[in-house]
Amino acid sequence: MTRIYLDHAATSPLRPEARTAIDEGFAIWANPSSPHAEGRKAKAALEDARERVKMVLGWTGEVIFTSGASEALALGLGRAKASRRVVSAVEHDAVFRAAPDAEVYSEDVTLDGDTVFAIQHVNPETGTINPVADMAEVLGETGALVLSDCSQSAGKLALPQVDMAVISAHKFGGPIGVGALLVRDLALLEPMGGHERGYRAGTENLPAIMGMAAALEAGDWATSVAERAEFREALAGDVLDLGEQVDYIVPLTHPSISAQALLIRLDAMGFAVSAGSACSSGTLKKSRVLDAFGLEDDAARRTIRVSLGWNTTAAELEDFVKAWRGLQ
């Protein structure tokens, strides 16, 4: 049986350009912080990758390389020069782990110059796009810092201009275990010593960083915008409509079959999908995110996520539509 992978919002396969760059990185084996010739060569490759990441993302601030989105969130929320943390109710669990004492935003919560507000760009379970750029412009007048988790949008959508943004390479075809915290100005953070200009401990993972830069530069997808729109239209009626959504994350609610049963049956049919973000899809609990979006319990228990990536083909999407329509 040929497997069809439709869980790219969890992890996308490594792009061949990234694999080549990683191999090149392993050939530059020295520590970028070492002063000798080998170290300087590694440092040059590191800074080249940094500039390439900034260029592709259109980011004019600073880039702190991390081991992934979770560490970037911990740095941004943990070391920002502000005493309050406020987060939206639909954030990824990693945000709540990074700021366990954070206030959950509501109309009654006031944001001020002593606040860091975390608001994701694209929701990983529903594909809903938050108007982060507009929010940041409004909040700029209050002095509040805006941190946006862009794990599901980096390399796919233009990033919003915020104070801090988080990216994760394995969401767009880069290697697992590398990401970055994009910072408008390093002065927004308390330094901690170590590497990355004193804002991150631990030697940089140069091969993975080079792979991330190459994956961002590749950028092309096997499907077109029109083909992804046709896929969504073919599933009309079962697509969970929650505002403006990206075309590569499609939440589906089946009329009668539970999400857990759907996962089992689709997996047996050769399709890899999920019932939410990877950190929680193995549980039987109702999705906290779907609850925050106001979805009724019964519908939430019948909702799965289909997510597309750079190597998803139109033929694979057609096969999924046929399989979905056959589920009774």
Side-chain angles (χ1 to χ4, degrees):
M1 178 195 307
T2 300
R3 299 281 303 174
I4 295 178
Y5 184 78
L6 295 172
D7 194 21
H8 291 261
T11 293
S12 207
L14 189 66
R15 286 179 179 267
E17 297 90 344
R19 187 183 299 275
T20 297
I22 291 169
D23 288 342
E24 293 173 356
F26 278 123
I28 309 172
W29 45 265
N31 191 317
S33 296
S34 297
H36 45 60
E38 290 81 0
R40 295 196 302 273
K41 183 176 181 180
K43 180 69 171 181
L46 177 69
E47 295 308 321
D48 175 68
R50 198 188 310 275
E51 292 304 313
R52 289 159 58 199
V53 167
K54 291 170 62 175
M55 181 174 293
V56 174
L57 295 177
W59 186 258
T60 58
E62 305 291 344
V63 173
I64 300 173
F65 290 120
T66 66
S67 60
S70 292
E71 184 191 358
L73 288 165
L75 280 176
L77 289 168
R79 306 201 69 81
K81 293 178 179 177
S83 63
R84 296 177 62 222
R85 274 48 177 169
V86 178
V87 304
S88 85
V90 296
E91 295 303 300
H92 191 280
D93 285 351
V95 171
F96 289 91
R97 288 194 296 268
D101 298 325
E103 303 169 61
V104 177
Y105 179 77
S106 70
E107 293 181 355
D108 299 326
V109 175
T110 301
L111 302 177
D112 55 32
D114 198 31
T115 304
V116 180
F117 177 50
I119 175 71
Q120 63 196 192
H121 192 196
V122 172
N123 185 270
E125 293 190 38
T126 67
T128 302
I129 305 172
N130 286 312
V132 175
D134 294 340
M135 297 171 71
E137 185 174 352
V138 173
L139 289 174
E141 299 176 2
T142 71
L145 300 178
V146 177
L147 180 153
S148 186
D149 180 358
C150 297
S151 298
Q152 298 295 342
S153 60
K156 302 164 189 175
L157 303 179
L159 295 190
Q161 292 302 306
V162 290
D163 297 296
M164 292 179 279
V166 168
I167 68 171
S168 179
H170 71 106
K171 305 296 187 180
F172 50 76
I176 293 172
V178 66
L181 175 66
L182 313 184
V183 187
R184 175 175 57 80
D185 186 342
L186 288 176
L188 299 176
L189 302 175
E190 293 286 354
M192 62 189 301
H195 300 272
E196 288 299 278
R197 304 176 193 180
Y199 289 89
R200 190 247 179 182
T203 301
E204 296 93 345
N205 185 346
L206 179 59
I209 289 168
M210 293 173 63
M212 177 168 67
L216 279 172
E217 289 172 334
D220 59 307
W221 281 46
T223 54
S224 65
V225 172
E227 288 169 333
R228 296 193 291 275
E230 289 174 7
F231 174 65
R232 193 180 185 93
E233 185 176 346
L235 296 167
D238 293 334
V239 176
L240 186 60
D241 186 0
L242 292 171
E244 183 183 4
Q245 292 165 293
V246 296
D247 60 7
Y248 50 86
I249 297 178
V250 184
L252 295 173
T253 302
H254 195 275
S256 59
I257 303 175
S258 72
Q260 294 300 319
L262 287 168
L263 295 188
I264 293 171
R265 291 179 62 176
L266 286 168
D267 189 48
M269 297 165 69
F271 297 94
V273 297
S274 71
S277 60
C279 65
S280 60
S281 60
T283 73
L284 295 175
K285 296 186 297 182
K286 177 186 176 182
S287 164
R288 172 181 51 76
V289 168
L290 296 182
D291 190 42
F293 271 108
L295 193 64
E296 295 182 358
D297 289 2
D298 182 57
R301 283 192 288 266
R302 293 181 281 106
T303 299
I304 66 169
R305 177 188 70 186
V306 176
S307 51
L308 290 54
W310 64 272
N311 65 341
T312 304
T313 66
E316 290 174 334
L317 298 181
E318 291 175 6
D319 287 345
F320 179 84
V321 171
K322 293 176 184 176
W324 179 260
R325 292 300 179 205
L327 291 169
Q328 302 294 332

